[in-house]
Amino acid sequence: MGFTFQFIIRLFLTMLLSAILTPLIKLLAFKIGAVDAPGERRINQKTMPTAGGLAIFLSFSLLALWEFSSVLGFSNLSFVLLGALIVVVTGLIDDIKELNPRQKTLGITLASLVIYFWADIGFHTFSIPFIGVVEIGWLSLPMTIIWILAITNAVNLIDGLDGLAAGISIIALITMGLISYFFIPGNGVVLAILIFSLIAAIVGFYPYNFYPATIYLGDTGALFLGFMIAIFSLQGLKNATFISVMTPMFILGVPITDTVYAMIRRFFNKQSISSPDKMHLHHRLLSLGFTHRGAVLTIYAMALVFSFIALLMNYASTWATVLLVLSTLIGMELFIELIGLVGENRQPLMKGLKFIGNRKYRQEILEKRKK
């Protein structure tokens, strides 16, 4: 029996295991108090079990170890799973008793240290276009920790609607798997196998999580998925280039954009960066009249566009990539201002375009400035 066929069978078994474990995790969540009660910031109208990410973690870990022991020979896998376990435990505690941001950050940082020192995954050099390769040196550790924290929290923040974080993760991971297989030399095939193993585990859980959900990912799952996506992206960043850094950032364009604009919004509103609000991307779409499912599918579509751009970046030249990035940023800024993600009165690009294209508006502004 060929390896490809064996791997497909194992992916199917992983999906099946995840689908079987999810109802059991649902019962466990109620017993240990890992639930989301209705509240001011909650979308759910009834108490919902969380910690669904446990089913994904257990299914993925079992398949990864199975592959590791037989065909992969990925020596650092046990340390990756150890780091993931720390993140999962942190998320599970948060789902039960709600940790503060510092405590969650501490858990993710501890997992990042395991990844950096034991799994030997992190930034080492950086290639700047038109300049050359730069040795990162002592900045390697802090850059690695910041990268893992940023990606992990970005995925966690987008987890606000049924099936949203899980679906975004599937789209991101499929893109990363394709890029790993075709564009990353050396261990790209091994990395792709691990990525698609995680996808299989998410797919088994996904039917329970899509609207109307019967169980949530919880911080257990959202932090785990964000952490693993960060680790997988770092596999292509050991000798980072402009393309290799921008690719995962575009693959995760939706959660990263939501996180960045949340920070900007809270800065303008003089709020703490970690303070919660109901102005995230999915909240804004709902306030504009989108249905729950419609908002989720719209964000999926945005994630697919970002993923397609990430794939194009690996084919384009450096100058074409720069132009592609700039065009995407301008288009994203217009969309963000139209839906009022930072605030309905904060539209600098729209006002700038209106100033250029509307003579009456331009004259009014100029007259106000004269006065």
Side-chain angles (χ1 to χ4, degrees):
M1 188 183 295
F3 169 75
T4 302
F5 184 74
Q6 289 183 17
F7 182 59
I8 291 173
I9 294 297
R10 292 178 182 184
L11 289 182
F12 176 78
L13 292 176
T14 303
M15 287 188 287
L16 185 61
L17 178 60
S18 180
I20 293 171
L21 284 176
T22 301
L24 301 178
I25 297 298
K26 179 179 177 180
L27 296 175
L28 176 65
F30 280 116
K31 285 191 176 183
I32 63 177
V35 295
D36 261 353
E40 184 181 346
R41 292 188 59 251
R42 305 295 183 185
I43 301 295
N44 52 302
Q45 301 299 316
K46 62 179 181 179
T47 300
M48 292 287 293
T50 61
L54 270 177
I56 299 174
F57 170 71
L58 292 173
S59 304
F60 167 73
S61 298
L62 288 173
L63 177 64
L65 290 172
W66 187 7
E67 292 288 347
F68 166 64
S69 62
S70 58
V71 294
L72 287 184
F74 189 30
S75 60
N76 295 336
L77 179 61
S78 57
F79 296 123
V80 171
L81 293 179
L82 175 60
L85 177 61
I86 294 171
V87 170
V88 167
V89 170
T90 301
L92 183 59
I93 295 173
D94 183 63
D95 285 333
I96 297 172
K97 56 188 293 184
E98 195 164 344
L99 301 175
N100 61 47
R102 288 184 180 179
Q103 291 169 326
K104 284 195 283 188
T105 300
L106 179 62
I108 300 169
T109 301
L110 178 60
S112 302
L113 292 174
V114 171
I115 294 300
Y116 184 83
F117 287 109
W118 292 353
D120 191 28
I121 297 174
F123 290 96
H124 296 293
T125 64
F126 193 88
S127 179
I128 303 175
F130 315 115
I131 295 178
V133 178
V134 177
E135 290 289 340
I136 297 175
W138 64 270
L139 288 173
S140 175
L141 176 59
M143 285 180 65
T144 300
I145 293 175
I146 291 171
W147 180 269
I148 294 175
L149 282 170
I151 301 298
T152 302
N153 282 300
V155 175
N156 189 37
L157 283 176
I158 202 70
D159 184 30
L161 296 178
D162 297 357
L164 185 54
I168 292 292
S169 297
I170 290 173
I171 294 169
L173 287 166
I174 289 174
T175 310
M176 294 178 73
L178 293 174
I179 291 173
S180 298
Y181 186 82
F182 290 106
F183 297 105
I184 296 181
N187 69 337
V189 175
V190 173
L191 185 59
I193 289 172
L194 288 173
I195 290 172
F196 281 102
S197 300
L198 180 55
I199 292 170
I202 303 172
V203 169
F205 167 81
Y206 185 76
Y208 300 95
N209 187 234
F210 190 67
Y211 183 80
T214 58
I215 185 171
Y216 290 161
L217 271 174
D219 274 30
T220 307
L223 291 178
F224 168 64
L225 292 181
F227 180 77
M228 291 307 301
I229 289 172
I231 300 309
F232 290 147
S233 67
L234 278 171
Q235 285 293 305
L237 294 175
K238 286 188 176 181
N239 299 301
T241 65
F242 177 73
I243 301 296
S244 66
V245 171
M246 294 305 298
T247 296
M249 291 181 70
F250 267 76
I251 291 173
L252 292 169
V254 171
I256 289 176
T257 298
D258 192 41
T259 301
V260 169
Y261 279 93
M263 295 170 65
I264 295 172
R265 179 176 64 250
R266 289 163 188 170
F267 173 78
F268 282 133
N269 294 334
K270 298 181 180 180
Q271 296 175 321
S272 169
I273 295 297
S274 60
S275 62
D277 59 26
K278 294 191 72 172
M279 286 287 289
H280 288 286
L281 177 58
H282 52 278
H283 291 131
R284 293 301 303 159
L285 291 177
L286 290 175
S287 69
L288 291 171
F290 283 69
T291 63
H292 192 121
R293 185 172 298 187
V296 172
L297 294 177
T298 298
I299 298 175
Y300 284 176
M302 293 171 59
L304 285 169
V305 171
F306 273 114
S307 291
F308 181 68
I309 292 171
L311 287 170
L312 286 179
M313 288 169 61
N314 287 274
Y315 284 101
S317 64
T318 301
W319 277 112
T321 300
V322 170
L323 292 174
L324 190 61
V325 170
L326 290 175
S327 301
T328 304
L329 291 176
I330 292 171
M332 199 64 203
E333 175 64 22
L334 283 172
F335 175 78
I336 292 304
E337 291 184 10
L338 285 171
I339 67 170
L341 195 62
V342 179
E344 295 181 359
N345 296 321
R346 296 191 177 100
Q347 300 175 312
L349 185 55
M350 291 287 292
K351 289 179 178 178
L353 293 174
K354 187 177 179 180
F355 182 84
I356 295 171
N358 188 319
R359 179 183 293 181
K360 183 178 179 182
Y361 177 77
R362 183 168 60 249
Q363 289 175 344
E364 290 176 357
I365 296 297
L366 293 174
E367 287 176 5
K368 286 181 181 179
R369 289 180 178 177
K370 287 179 181 179
K371 294 178 181 180

